[in-house]
Amino acid sequence: MTETQPDAASGPTALDPDLVALAGVARGWLARRSSTEIVRERLEAPVDDTSLPPFWDELVDMGWLALAVPESAGGQGAGVVGLATVMEEWGRAVAPGPFASTVAVATILGRCAPDLAGPVLAGEPAALIVPGVGSEGTMPGVAAVDGPISDSPDLDGLVVDGAGEAAWLLVPVGAADAASGGDTTFALLDSGGFRAEPVPGADPTRRSARVMLESTTVAGAPRVEVPSGLALGLPTLLGAAEAVGVASWCVGTAAEWARTREQFDRPIGQFQAVKHRCADALCRLEMARAALFDAAGLEPEDPQFPLAVSAAGALAPAAAFECAKDAIQVLGGIGYTWEHDAHLY
C-alpha cells in the first residue's frame, strides 16, 4: 500500500536550498531502494539473519556514511545538519539497517581519528556504546551504560541495538578528563575483539545482539579521544532526526486520509475532532523539527550544544509516538490492519 506524502521539505531545512535539495534526493532514493516491502521482509527474517539491506553498497558508494566527516578526512563536509537532514528522511522511510550507528562512528572517527576511519567509511557497519544514555533514550546503535567501562569490562548480558550487524564496536574505556577538555577515551574494536549473540529486539529492522568482550582485546585496541559533547550528543541527535521523520510520515498520512476519506458524504477532515487532532499533530512535529535543527546547526564544541540536543532528544521521540498514535486514530479501522503501513511506524 502506497501513501501519498508531501513533496516539499518543510521546517528549518526549507531555509537552506541545499538542504532542501539533499532532502529531496534522499527521499527519492529511499522511495526507490527501501520500499516497505523490504522493511516487511526484514521484520519477518529470522533473528540470526544479520545480513545488510540490499541497498547498502549503493548507499556507501553515494558517500552518505561520510556526510558529516570533514573533507580533509575524505568526507562530504556537509556537517551534522546535513546528516540530520538525511536521517529525517531515513526515519520517514523506516529504512532498515545499521545506518544510524555507522554514521555516528564514522563521524566520530572522521573528526577525532581520521587514520582509523577508513574501514567504516568503506561501508563496514559499526555499533556505538555511549556512556550516560539512559534506557529511556536508547536508540539505534546506542546501548544504556551507566559510565565508562574499564579495561577489563564485564559486558555479558548487555544488549546493543545494531550490534548484530556490526563489524566495528566503539566503546568507552576512560572517564572524561577535565584537563583534556572533557574528552572521553574510546576503544575501537574490530569483529575479532567482541562476540555478538543475536537476540530478539523491539525493532527487528535493527539487529540487536548481546555483546561480550575480551579484556585482552579491549586493552590492546586503538584508543580515540572524543569530546564528550560529540560522543553523547551525536547519537541523541540522530535518534531525534529519525523520530522527526517518523512523525512527519504520520502527519502527512493522517492529513491525506482526512482529505480523501468520506463519511456522511463529506471528508472526515471537515469534522472538528479530526481537524483538531491533525492540527495538534502538526504542531508537535514542527516543534520537534525546530528543536532538531536548532541543535544540528551548532558545533558539538558550542556550550549551547548539550542543552539544544537534550531539547531535541526529549521532544522528537514524544512527537513520533503521539503522531503515530494520532495517525492510527484518524485512519480508523484500516490503521489497525497488517496490510497498512501505519504499524511500521
Side-chain angles (χ1 to χ4, degrees):
M1 179 176 296
T2 302
E3 315 300 341
T4 302
Q5 298 299 322
D7 293 329
S10 59
T13 56
L15 301 177
D16 189 328
D18 291 336
L19 293 179
V20 173
L22 178 60
V25 169
R27 187 178 304 187
W29 185 85
L30 286 164
R32 295 189 301 272
R33 297 293 186 266
S34 182
S35 64
T36 52
E37 286 76 13
I38 290 178
V39 179
R40 290 173 181 274
E41 289 175 4
R42 198 65 175 163
L43 289 176
E44 296 172 2
V47 172
D48 58 356
D49 179 4
T50 57
S51 59
L52 294 170
F55 55 75
W56 187 262
D57 289 342
E58 185 177 347
L59 180 151
V60 174
D61 291 340
M62 292 192 304
W64 281 10
L65 299 184
L67 272 173
V69 174
E71 293 182 24
S72 59
Q76 302 293 322
V80 175
V81 67
L83 185 55
T85 299
V86 170
M87 201 70 223
E88 179 182 341
E89 298 303 324
W90 194 273
R92 184 196 300 274
V94 287
F99 181 63
S101 57
T102 305
V103 294
V105 173
T107 300
I108 289 173
L109 294 180
R111 292 185 171 212
C112 303
D115 55 317
L116 299 176
V120 179
L121 293 178
E124 298 183 23
L128 177 65
I129 301 178
V130 176
V133 178
S135 58
E136 292 293 330
T138 300
M139 60 198 67
V142 181
V145 181
D146 291 335
I149 61 174
S150 68
D151 281 346
S152 300
D154 179 12
L155 290 183
D156 286 351
L158 179 64
V159 175
V160 181
D161 193 8
E165 300 154 309
W168 299 91
L169 197 64
L170 194 62
V171 297
V173 294
D177 181 6
S180 65
D183 289 358
T184 299
T185 303
F186 281 76
L188 179 64
L189 307 177
D190 61 22
S191 56
F194 65 94
R195 187 159 53 90
E197 175 187 335
V199 296
D203 180 3
T205 66
R206 314 287 166 79
R207 292 316 195 196
S208 300
R210 198 181 315 279
V211 173
M212 285 147 284
L213 307 182
E214 295 287 344
S215 59
T216 54
T217 59
V218 174
R223 295 301 196 260
V224 182
E225 298 296 326
V226 183
S228 295
L230 180 62
L232 293 173
L234 183 60
T236 302
L237 199 63
L238 295 180
E242 191 169 22
V244 167
V246 168
S248 179
W249 184 93
C250 293
V251 171
T253 298
E256 181 63 23
W257 184 257
R259 281 194 293 265
T260 57
R261 174 64 170 167
E262 293 188 357
Q263 288 286 346
F264 308 108
D265 298 323
R266 57 192 297 196
I268 63 173
Q270 293 183 7
F271 297 122
Q272 191 175 58
V274 176
K275 185 187 303 184
H276 286 186
R277 188 180 293 274
C278 291
D280 289 343
L282 178 62
C283 289
R284 282 193 295 269
L285 164 63
E286 293 303 336
M287 184 167 58
R289 183 181 273 140
L292 166 67
F293 283 96
D294 278 349
L298 299 174
E299 287 296 320
E301 297 78 18
D302 192 301
Q304 296 297 320
F305 185 73
L307 177 61
V309 167
S310 296
L315 290 171
F321 174 77
E322 293 295 337
C323 290
K325 188 169 65 172
D326 286 343
I328 290 177
Q329 289 294 321
V330 172
L331 289 166
I334 195 173
Y336 288 86
T337 65
W338 183 256
E339 289 76 13
H340 198 279
D341 292 337
H343 70 92
L344 300 176
Y345 292 80

